[in-house]
Amino acid sequence: MPCYNEAVTIAKVVRDFREALPEATVYVYDNNSTDGTAELAAAAGAVVRRESRQGKGNVVRSMFRDVDAEVYLMVDGDDTYPASAAGELVAPIAADEADMTVGDRLSNGSYGKENDRPFHGFGNDLVRWLIRLIYGYSFDDVMTGYRAFSRAFVKTMPVMSAGFQVETEISIWAVDRRWRVADVPVDYRDRPEGSVSKLSTVGDGMLVLAAIASLFRDYRPMAFFGWLSLVLVALGLLAGLPVVGDWLETGLVPRLPSAVLAIALVLCGALSATAGLILDTVAKSHRRQWELSVYQVMEDNGR
């Protein structure tokens, strides 16, 4: 459980999940809370660890590095997700039927009923659409903080995000690396009175969109730079066609700035395509090395 100033809810959340999963160890990672969250979590029976670098992505990175388990369940400490659904999220992982399960708040309509921030729903839909457009996979809920993972997933994922965009990073990683993903509908409830969300709709939304663009460039460089190349070449042709027309009519190039611009755009397009080809080779090499690391983790895990 990544937590930052969740004193209103953390004790209840810890107790609920200890009751739902009595054989599990509950870890609470406190992210510089100033309201006694860590003390309340420890009193409720959680193992409390601290992450001094602010941001949910930094917390998730530490959790993935530090915690050693067969099955991992991640949930926010704000009491918006039901502990009663924990078994349903864990079961496909334990049965080796999935590598990540996603607590879907949207399919049953509970998120729309409980959440009074319409831009959050719009942002979730936008991110889902972009992932479907780029990767061809449609998540039912991409921004949920309620997920379960296999050991191989956790121990081979390099978490790069620092903040709330980590959920998007995890989702894109799962799709790009072709992990088995299962959506599990869960009931969502809004934060109780006195509990305040730390999510900035506009600020964090822009970070999520920037993360999607960055991951698209890193994971699919040929597609990213290929599309950029097409755009640059198309702009170069638009700028150059009138120049070519003048030259065919008069044998002169009176629009020299346009000619220079057209040549520059086409050359940039060619450079972009070349960069895409080179980076695509590098990305494939990294993917091969990652596949071998997955085999090693699975072998160490006795599978």
Side-chain angles (χ1 to χ4, degrees):
M1 299 179 190
C3 285
Y4 172 60
N5 286 343
E6 299 290 3
V8 175
T9 57
I10 189 58
K12 177 181 181 300
V13 174
V14 171
R15 288 194 298 266
D16 288 349
F17 278 89
R18 290 189 67 199
E19 181 179 350
L21 299 171
E23 297 181 1
T25 302
V26 176
Y27 291 87
V28 170
Y29 273 68
D30 180 60
N31 196 204
N32 301 314
S33 296
T34 57
D35 62 352
T37 292
E39 292 76 13
L40 291 168
V47 176
V48 177
R49 294 179 177 175
R50 288 176 169 81
E51 171 53 58
S52 60
R53 294 166 296 182
Q54 198 66 40
K56 187 174 182 179
N58 290 322
V59 177
V60 172
R61 183 184 302 109
S62 292
M63 292 193 301
F64 280 12
R65 289 176 179 175
D66 298 347
V67 178
D68 194 27
E70 297 297 319
V71 179
Y72 298 78
L73 180 71
M74 183 174 73
V75 66
D76 295 335
D78 55 9
D79 197 30
T80 58
Y81 300 101
S84 58
E88 297 178 53
L89 272 82
V90 167
I93 308 294
D96 195 25
E97 296 173 353
D99 298 293
M100 180 178 76
T101 54
V102 179
D104 167 26
R105 309 161 295 173
L106 302 180
S107 295
N108 59 14
S110 62
Y111 186 79
K113 293 178 182 177
E114 291 287 327
N115 189 284
D116 58 359
R117 298 177 290 275
F119 282 107
H120 286 194
F122 169 77
N124 202 328
D125 291 340
L126 176 60
V127 172
R128 290 167 59 208
W129 177 78
L130 287 172
I131 293 176
R132 183 171 66 250
L133 177 67
I134 296 170
Y135 294 94
Y137 184 90
S138 180
F139 278 96
D140 290 333
D141 186 356
V142 72
M143 303 297 289
T144 178
Y146 200 11
R147 301 168 187 257
F149 312 97
S150 67
R151 175 181 172 81
F153 186 104
V154 166
K155 294 306 181 183
T156 61
M157 179 184 174
V159 178
M160 306 302 293
S161 300
F164 279 103
Q165 65 269 41
V166 68
E167 277 109 355
T168 303
E169 182 183 4
I170 291 172
S171 299
I172 292 176
W173 173 264
V175 173
D176 183 74
R177 289 305 192 261
R178 297 193 294 274
W179 289 109
R180 296 168 298 175
V181 179
D183 291 297
V184 178
V186 299
D187 290 327
Y188 174 87
R189 52 180 177 261
D190 207 3
R191 285 173 171 269
E193 186 176 352
S195 178
V196 180
S197 174
K198 290 79 182 175
L199 181 65
S200 169
T201 302
V202 176
D204 288 311
M206 295 303 295
L207 289 175
V208 167
L209 294 178
I212 292 174
S214 177
L215 293 170
F216 180 32
R217 179 199 63 205
D218 294 342
Y219 294 164
R220 303 287 177 89
M222 190 64 251
F224 180 88
F225 287 100
W227 281 108
L228 180 60
S229 175
L230 288 175
V231 170
L232 290 170
V233 170
L235 291 175
L237 291 176
L238 286 175
L241 284 176
V243 177
V244 173
D246 290 341
W247 178 78
L248 289 174
E249 286 184 10
T250 65
L252 301 174
V253 183
R255 307 185 193 187
L256 185 59
S258 296
V260 172
L261 175 62
I263 293 171
L265 287 170
V266 172
L267 287 175
C268 287
L271 287 173
S272 180
T274 303
L277 286 170
I278 296 171
L279 292 174
D280 189 61
T281 302
V282 174
K284 287 179 179 177
S285 177
H286 287 172
R287 190 183 297 272
R288 293 188 189 97
Q289 294 299 318
W290 171 81
E291 288 284 355
L292 294 175
S293 70
V294 173
Y295 298 156
Q296 185 62 52
V297 171
M298 296 178 73
E299 182 179 338
D300 294 342
N301 203 34
R303 289 175 52 195

